[in-house]
Amino acid sequence: MLILLCVILFVMAVAALSGCEHTVYVDRPVEVKIPVPVNCVQPGDTPAPMIYPVDQLGHNDSDGDIVGALLADHYQRAATEKILRDIIDACTSTEGEPL
């Protein structure tokens, strides 16, 4: 019985020591690229708040003045929307360097 116990302990010791034999250590630096989100819009890229013609209308303006202001407002808002869409497209485009 004692011999069997010694054989079992010897086999366990050899198995434990042989498991450490295949460990591979890397002794050189390894480059790891981690994507970091950055702001693609700078503070000066966005247009300043605009004063639209409809905002400048008074209470006693004629219907013609209101229609003219609405038309001008439509074109001014479309131009502002195009500027903002261009800024968003520049941030979401996949061209150039990845984040």
Side-chain angles (χ1 to χ4, degrees), residues 6-7 9 19 23 28-29 32 36-37 41 54 59-60 63 65 67-68 71 73 78 82 94-97:
C6 289
V7 170
L9 288 176
T23 304
R28 59 178 167 42
V32 178
V36 179
V41 177
V54 172
H59 295 290
N60 296 328
D63 290 341
D65 292 338
V67 171
L71 184 62
D73 183 64
K82 183 184 179 323
T94 57
E95 298 176 7
E97 296 183 19

Side-chain angles (χ1 to χ4, degrees), residues 60-84:
N60 296 328
D61 288 332
S62 68
D63 290 341
D65 292 338
I66 294 173
V67 171
L70 287 171
L71 184 62
D73 183 64
H74 172 72
Y75 288 122
Q76 192 172 1
R77 287 182 191 269
T80 304
E81 183 178 335
K82 183 184 179 323
I83 292 169
L84 294 174

Side-chain angles (χ1 to χ4, degrees), residues 1-66:
M1 184 69 157
L2 183 62
I3 295 176
L4 181 62
L5 183 61
C6 289
V7 170
I8 292 173
L9 288 176
F10 177 75
V11 170
M12 287 175 55
V14 169
L17 291 176
S18 67
C20 297
E21 181 178 326
H22 300 291
T23 304
V24 177
Y25 294 100
V26 178
D27 59 349
R28 59 178 167 42
V30 177
E31 181 178 347
V32 178
K33 293 184 178 183
I34 301 172
V36 179
V38 295
N39 292 336
C40 63
V41 177
Q42 302 302 323
D45 291 344
T46 57
M50 302 185 111
I51 299 173
Y52 294 102
V54 172
D55 298 332
Q56 298 173 349
L57 289 175
H59 295 290
N60 296 328
D61 288 332
S62 68
D63 290 341
D65 292 338
I66 294 173

